[in-house]
Amino acid sequence: MSACPGSWPAVPPRASRRGDSLLDRVLAGVAPGESPLTHVAALPAQEAREVDWPGWAHPSAVSALGRAGLRRPWSHQAEAAELAHGGRHVVLATGTASGKSLGYQLPVLTALLEDPKATALYLAPTKALGADQLRFVTGLGLDGVRAAPFDGDTGLAERDWARTHARWVFSNPDMLHRTLLPRHARWGHFLRRLRYVVLDECHAYRGVFGSHVALLLRRLRRLCARYGSAPTFVLASATVSRPEESASRLTGVDVTAVTEDGSPRGARTVALWEPPLLDELRGENGAPVRRSAGAEAGRMLADLVVEGARTLAFVRSRRGAELTAQRAARALAEIDPSLAERVSAYRAGFLPEERRALEAALDSGELLGVASTNALELGIDVIGLDAVLVAGFPGTRASFWQQGGRAGRAGREALVVLVARDDPLDTYLVHHPDALLGRPVEGCVLDPTNPYVLAPQLACAAAESPVTEAEVASESALFGGERARAVLDSLVADGVLRRRPAGWFWPRPSERPAAEVDIRGSGAGQVVVVEADTGRMLGTVDGGTAPATLHPGAVYLHRGVSFVVDELNLTDGLALVHAEEPDWTTSARSVVDVAVVDAPPVEAPPAGGVTVRLGDVTVTSQVVSYLRRRPSGEVIETVPLDLPAQTLHTRAVWYTIEESLLADAGLEPARVPGALHAAEHAAIGLLPLFAVCDRWDIGGMSTALHPDTGMPTVFVHDGHPGGAGFAERGYHDVVPWLTATRDAIAGCECPAGCPSCVQSPKCGNGNTPLDKAGAVIVLDIVLAAL
Ligand SMILES: [Zn+2]
Ligand SMILES: [Zn+2]
């Protein structure tokens, strides 16, 4: 166990705290010889920092909010409201359940109450969130505010009413893109008086979707300018690194960040936990396998229920959640059969009344332990628990705290445990608690200059109002400079747009290009997932990732429910599946080749024989097989697949090393491919620590001699056409990123490489060759040179 970081204030001695005594109970169940606890942090209780309502706040708004239970604002709410009221664009980036909404409600309500003509627009990434916020505002019962929904579920008559009468419209980017902006003439009076644009949960706008939303907001801003308004943007975000930077990139305006959280919090004990490597199980190439996070969580759940602690365990799949609940119930049955009945699994798809019943049972203590998929993150009101177990890092700090934040209530201490699973990022986090508990390192990335996003967005913009010279005059212009002009030129060459002296025009006024543009896809086409027996459409998957996630035999999870793919037809964009919960998971493996298309010249001479570059590449990848594995990590078999190769034009970050450096460090030529390959795998695993993304958003390739660089090279590339900003973030954060990669490899106690460090579940080369020690040498050379 490592010491707590010095920055945590002094806490009462152990065992006088509830969180600590629960942790002691969990530790008492650890088998002799195992030492899974890697770190304990005591997060102190925080007193609320309440301030007075600002003087400008409208008295009716203040009294309505007071009736809704908000008696005085917390400091961060007031600070954000103050900035917004003063016309400054602001992003409020504070923790889960810190009441970020008040930060925009106060200035928006005040504006609507003071100026009977003012309007406001609220945008949420999900319908459920927008509906919750609308319900709250409507419930305030303020005369004249006239809040109304404008989303896919809104009927035509209600849409008309919203357009003509509503003053605060609750919508989403999809509606803005498809309806509101293309028909802006009908919304002219609304846009003319638009005072505020609220972007809730704006960290959801990342990657390709985020890049589309960024351009969508620029389309909104130019139309507002045409109608004579310049709305103030108010954004709410999870805590990410440099929120003002991501918010400014998203909106295209300068945004000020408010990050000092003044909301109260109960004390929590946070434990980081790494299940042991097991002797009896072997994974691929004989690598050791850890006890699964779900199995470990099941045992802990039982121990906590015995203590009477109301506990929620988050497990990644529904099947996993059921196994965890079963394991806990079985353990409890041996101690006290009545306790076994107080543990349950929660599945997505519960009816609202079943959810309420579950909430009530957990609240009353009738139910003590629940294992759930993260579907429970949405739409259920469970907070103030005694303990939360997170089995496997959920990918982002925001999700982790969304889950862990359900533990603890005022005056009552609680326990949060992160149980690592077989993954280099999990390994890194349990050994580097500061990355999880200290300042955030991950940022939201998006790239509004991606030509694959710019092209359809500029066509939409031109159809709404001709794109002018000034809008693409320089890098700081609305749509950017050179890249946007190049895209416009190619749209003219393709006959999509027409160039006239006054700008770029959409030549077919009766058609609206927005209907054809999918802002949530990558532009690689969509594959529709259909349940074969019922004909029910489950969803769509990006064409680029379909071979990896929807190949025949793949276990496909949809909202936590498991399906198995029978057929994938890429030509028709169709995948047929059937519901099935097999006892294994699948992971596709692909072989990748990368060709450098264009890389800007290196400014400085290569530092000590190492260069790091960012540039355009062509990635050719082919899914060649998939692996079936038991939940324990044990490999059942590798199944070959026959799928076509795919080509992707995207962005990559890569480094090259002079061969002599490798030789000088004692790495003989035969070891170089395995060393680079292992370093590549771990680097892909760790990039999500710096750029909010998941492993399907990025890929990589390594070789001891690359034809384009003429040297040993490791590439990490974006997984979407044109790139989404991930490789770029890796390039800018190359030193911390590769340092974390090195530490994750060195920190794993396996002898020669395992899934927790250098093995990758999607490696098309069967995870050979891999040289764990060699990877550390490679990364040391690179880091020394940088
Ligand atoms: Zn390992
Ligand atoms: Zn590989």
Side-chain angles (χ1 to χ4, degrees), residues 431-756:
H431 292 287
H432 297 83
D434 223 30
L436 184 68
L437 305 169
R439 285 174 54 81
V441 284
E442 68 198 356
C444 281
V445 299
L446 50 92
D447 180 9
T449 70
N450 175 342
Y452 291 84
V453 178
L454 262 176
Q457 287 289 338
L458 284 172
C460 294
E464 285 150 13
S465 174
V467 175
T468 64
E469 199 59 62
E471 286 170 340
V472 292
S474 70
E475 296 311 314
S476 58
L478 187 74
F479 292 118
E482 224 171 286
R483 283 189 113 173
R485 297 183 71 92
V487 166
L488 286 169
D489 287 345
S490 69
L491 287 172
V492 171
D494 294 343
V496 176
L497 295 185
R498 209 162 283 160
R499 181 79 167 100
R500 295 193 193 130
W504 289 265
F505 284 69
W506 175 256
R508 295 171 293 279
S510 61
E511 291 171 33
R512 292 205 177 90
E516 306 299 318
V517 177
D518 176 12
I519 61 170
R520 292 182 190 254
S522 72
Q526 299 286 307
V527 172
V528 180
V529 186
V530 174
E531 191 178 24
D533 318 348
T534 60
R536 182 165 67 110
M537 182 180 140
L538 299 174
T540 59
V541 168
D542 207 71
T545 56
T549 52
L550 288 172
H551 59 78
V555 176
Y556 170 73
L557 287 175
H558 175 71
R559 295 198 181 151
V561 184
S562 166
F563 294 86
V564 173
V565 180
D566 299 311
E567 198 184 321
L568 171 64
N569 185 333
L570 286 168
T571 320
D572 299 341
L574 181 71
L576 296 176
V577 305
H578 67 270
E580 186 185 337
E581 294 199 352
D583 275 329
W584 60 82
T585 58
T586 57
S587 43
R589 320 207 111 180
S590 43
V591 289
V592 173
D593 200 12
V594 177
V596 177
V597 176
D598 182 33
V602 194
E603 293 142 27
V610 171
T611 56
V612 181
R613 310 289 297 271
L614 174 74
D616 295 333
V617 295
T618 300
V619 178
T620 311
S621 65
Q622 185 171 19
V623 173
V624 289
S625 63
Y626 70 95
L627 213 63
R628 289 201 298 132
R629 272 194 293 199
R630 296 198 196 287
S632 65
E634 194 187 350
V635 174
I636 305 170
E637 63 170 343
T638 304
V639 184
L641 286 168
D642 181 22
L643 288 166
Q646 290 186 306
T647 310
L648 173 71
H649 301 285
T650 189
R651 309 268 290 161
V653 53
W654 64 92
Y655 60 83
T656 62
I657 311 166
E658 272 172 25
E659 271 168 64
S660 60
L661 285 178
L662 297 169
D664 292 351
L667 205 60
E668 60 242 46
R671 287 181 65 192
V672 170
L676 297 173
H677 190 197
E680 170 220 325
H681 280 183
I684 295 169
L686 267 294
L687 188 53
L689 186 61
F690 298 91
V692 179
C693 62
D694 75 36
R695 65 168 31 136
W696 298 113
D697 290 326
I698 49 177
M701 182 249 190
S702 58
T703 169
L705 176 64
H706 192 271
D708 297 328
T709 66
M711 269 192 265
T713 310
V714 174
F715 290 90
V716 173
H717 63 81
D718 271 74
H720 300 284
F726 303 122
E728 193 182 335
R729 189 58 181 260
Y731 177 76
H732 290 298
D733 280 342
V734 67
V735 171
W737 170 38
L738 294 183
T739 304
T741 304
R742 184 215 176 270
D743 292 350
I745 301 172
C748 185
E749 81 268 29
C750 72
C754 74
S756 300

Side-chain angles (χ1 to χ4, degrees), residues 402-440:
Q402 191 91 32
Q403 299 176 354
R406 296 182 182 275
R409 65 170 80 176
R412 206 172 153 92
E413 284 140 5
L415 173 68
V416 179
V417 186
L418 170 64
V419 185
R421 73 193 164 104
D422 268 347
D423 185 284
L425 183 53
D426 288 45
T427 305
Y428 181 81
L429 289 172
V430 295
H431 292 287
H432 297 83
D434 223 30
L436 184 68
L437 305 169
R439 285 174 54 81

Side-chain angles (χ1 to χ4, degrees), residues 9 33 67 82 94 197 225 298 316 323 398-399 479 491 515 586 659 688:
R67 283 195 300 278
E82 190 70 48
T94 51
V197 177
R316 290 174 73 91
L323 287 173
S399 300
F479 292 118
L491 287 172
T586 57
E659 271 168 64

Side-chain angles (χ1 to χ4, degrees), residues 590 677-678 680-681 700 702 758 760 762-770:
S590 43
H677 190 197
E680 170 220 325
H681 280 183
S702 58
V758 297
S760 161
K762 56 182 221 182
C763 179
N765 299 315
N767 279 307
T768 54
L770 284 179

